[in-house]
Amino acid sequence: MRGVVFDGRQVRVVGDLTVREPGPGEVLVAIAAAGLCHSDLSVVDGTIPFPVPVVLGHEGAGVVEAVGTGVTHVAPGDHVALSTLANCGTCAECDRGRPTMCRQAIGRPAKPFTRGGDPVHQFAANSAFAERTVVKAVQAVRIPRDIPLSSAALIGCGVLTGVGAVLNRARVEQGDSVVVIGTGGIGLNVIQGARLAGALAVVAVDANPAKEPVARQFGATDFLTSAHGVRDLLPTGADHVFECVGRVELIRQAVDLLDRGGQAILLGVPPATAEASFLVSSLYLDKSILGCRYGSSRPQRDIALYAELYRRGRLMLDELVTEVYPVEDFEKARAEAEAGRVARAVLTF
């Protein structure tokens, strides 16, 4: 079968992958569509260290082909969106409703694929850039059949992370002020999350002025090409500032833009050894810096919720899909994504 493999030197679309059958508590999914997320590119450029060879992709949707023993919540033929969260469901963190903190879901790459008889790693417990993949049952969330799979694919990462960061981690309230630094796939979902939460001011900041129309479409009330103009709009600072790029100088800006009691939420992914600085005294007025893993989400609950919000016209998905490419055009999709010319490129099989 076809898949996108990174071997540590180059990325190639190959046609000789195989994937094993689902074991107990697992699901085999035929991938219909998968979003090309910045995290996939970060594996290739080394920002996210990951063992190779690896099948990339982690934002996908498709149709269940087979289930292992003990799986009852999905069945062959069901449409599903996939999460990357292969949490165990039984540890203290899972029991507390914090599956993103499950230690069984972090740093344990499996090898369900083979190529030429050699095992191949699975990225983010998902590997959606393959015609078929095997995931833990908890990662497969049934969605209504009337949602296009090319749009549903984006729920599993971009929407869960961006909207989830607003609703679950920052807990933005009606009337709050929000600044979003970076309006790529994650930033746009933060913007629409702020809209859903009832934020009064949603200021989008992006160096590319061409991104203003789509940012406003998703709910931005203002658009700036530099964070230096934020204080003109919010003289006392913002209640919440989301850094969605992953640059240390922008993290500093996020902290500096906070009002009293404000929160800086870090969503961008800088290199693993990157360090950021800030004035310690600037935090004494009850300001906070918050990390956020995967939107602090509970995928079985949140994916179903976001799917229903989409069906009711309250959550944008179709508008995130800037371009759809057959998997054979991966390099073209990658070039467009790296150049920032698309909000989300979607690969189809």
Side-chain angles (χ1 to χ4, degrees):
M1 68 178 186
R2 294 169 296 166
V4 179
V5 176
F6 176 54
D7 64 7
R9 298 181 303 277
Q10 60 180 334
V11 184
R12 289 189 295 166
V13 179
V14 304
D16 57 351
L17 276 177
T18 60
V19 65
R20 63 172 173 78
E21 291 297 311
E26 294 181 333
V27 178
L28 175 67
V29 178
I31 299 294
L36 176 54
C37 177
H38 187 73
S39 294
D40 299 303
L41 302 178
S42 293
V43 173
V44 177
D45 67 21
T47 301
I48 297 178
F50 205 87
V52 293
V54 57
V55 179
L56 296 175
H58 63 285
E59 187 181 68
V63 181
V64 175
E65 281 201 349
V67 300
T69 57
V71 177
T72 58
H73 74 291
V74 293
D78 284 345
H79 287 201
V80 293
L82 301 183
S83 85
T84 70
L85 207 58
N87 59 293
C88 70
T90 59
C91 69
E93 297 296 346
C94 287
D95 193 52
R96 292 172 62 192
R98 300 177 59 193
T100 57
M101 295 296 104
C102 174
R103 285 173 171 79
Q104 298 297 319
I106 302 174
R108 297 171 182 266
K111 299 177 183 178
F113 302 97
T114 55
R115 183 174 180 231
D118 297 323
V120 180
H121 287 93
Q122 184 175 41
F123 178 53
N126 190 307
S127 288
F129 292 170
E131 289 187 75
R132 292 172 182 79
T133 190
V134 169
V135 297
K136 291 185 67 171
V138 72
Q139 296 176 252
V141 184
R142 188 170 58 226
I143 57 173
R145 291 174 178 267
D146 58 357
I147 299 179
L149 290 172
S150 58
S151 297
L154 305 187
I155 300 177
C157 179
V159 177
L160 276 182
T161 300
V163 177
V166 174
L167 302 182
N168 302 327
R169 186 65 168 131
R171 298 186 181 274
V172 173
E173 297 181 350
Q174 288 193 18
D176 283 356
S177 57
V178 171
V179 174
V180 183
I181 301 176
T183 60
I186 299 298
L188 289 176
N189 279 297
V190 172
I191 290 170
Q192 73 168 330
R195 171 178 53 79
L196 285 168
L200 186 62
V202 183
V203 182
V205 180
D206 198 292
N208 184 354
K211 293 186 177 182
E212 180 174 358
V214 69
R216 289 188 179 276
Q217 181 184 17
F218 273 74
T221 58
D222 301 275
F223 185 92
L224 300 170
T225 55
S226 168
H228 297 300
V230 171
R231 289 286 182 174
D232 295 330
L233 297 171
L234 304 171
T236 63
D239 296 315
H240 313 273
V241 182
F242 295 82
E243 200 284 332
C244 305
V245 181
R247 289 168 47 187
V248 293
E249 67 272 22
L250 298 180
I251 292 172
R252 171 60 183 266
Q253 284 188 348
V255 175
D256 290 345
L257 289 172
L258 294 176
D259 197 355
R260 297 183 178 194
Q263 301 179 133
I265 300 91
L266 310 185
L267 297 177
V269 182
T273 57
E275 296 182 0
S277 64
F278 57 90
L279 292 174
V280 175
S281 60
S282 70
L283 297 184
Y284 289 148
L285 293 174
D286 287 355
K287 300 178 185 180
S288 306
I289 301 173
L290 304 180
C292 184
R293 173 174 163 77
Y294 205 39
S296 301
S297 60
R298 285 179 277 173
Q300 285 290 334
R301 179 201 68 170
D302 291 348
I303 289 177
L305 170 62
Y306 299 152
E308 190 57 33
L309 286 172
Y310 166 82
R311 296 179 77 207
R312 298 188 182 201
R314 297 179 59 193
L315 184 84
M316 296 183 182
L317 292 178
D318 303 338
E319 296 83 357
L320 286 166
V321 184
T322 311
E323 199 71 52
V324 177
Y325 303 85
V327 69
E328 289 79 9
D329 288 343
F330 172 80
E331 282 301 328
K332 182 179 179 181
R334 174 186 173 187
E336 293 293 295
E338 289 180 329
R341 289 189 288 266
V342 294
R344 239 349 172 241
V346 172
L347 302 178
T348 58
F349 291 90

